[in-house]
Amino acid sequence: MIENQDIRPAEVIGPLGEPLTLDDLPSPKTKRWVVRRKAEVVAAVSGGLLTLDEALERYGLTLEEFASWQRAIDRSGMLGLRVTKLQSYRDLYERQHKF
């Protein structure tokens, strides 16, 4: 049956609007997580290129870490992933949603 098949797209749209394939994803050995790499992993999971479990295992991430990346993108776009700006974006988001 079709429900039992593991159907995945060959590519998804990356964070910068470009096609993103498994070969384009950051290396599993990545130690330095810049904004673009984080956004690519989130896009890959959101688009079905990788499952959440595969991404966590492949990159040695915790569920909380991945979820924080996803929340940052949802709230503030790619700029929300910048570590130096994280607190200011978080404060802005909380102020906007108080009312």
Side-chain angles (χ1 to χ4, degrees):
M1 300 196 120
I2 242 175
E3 298 87 29
N4 295 330
Q5 293 179 0
D6 185 22
I7 300 173
R8 294 183 189 214
E11 62 184 35
V12 296
I13 301 301
L16 301 176
E18 78 291 354
L20 186 64
T21 66
L22 285 174
D23 292 335
D24 299 324
L25 290 176
S27 165
K29 297 177 184 178
T30 298
K31 298 291 182 218
R32 186 167 178 265
W33 285 101
V34 296
V35 170
R36 180 187 49 80
R37 291 183 188 133
K38 292 176 186 179
E40 287 174 343
V41 173
V42 171
V45 172
S46 297
L49 198 57
L50 286 176
T51 66
L52 177 58
D53 290 336
E54 288 169 340
L56 298 181
E57 184 177 333
R58 178 177 176 147
Y59 296 110
L61 303 171
T62 64
L63 179 59
E64 292 78 17
E65 187 173 22
F66 179 84
S68 73
W69 294 356
Q70 200 165 36
R71 275 192 310 272
I73 289 173
D74 290 345
R75 289 179 179 175
S76 306
M78 282 181 58
L79 291 177
L81 291 171
R82 292 180 61 197
V83 174
T84 56
K85 295 289 184 181
L86 187 60
Q87 186 61 48
S88 63
Y89 285 118
R90 185 179 298 137
D91 292 344
L92 176 63
Y93 177 80
E94 289 171 1
R95 280 195 308 270
Q96 288 174 343
H97 286 87
K98 274 188 176 179
F99 302 102

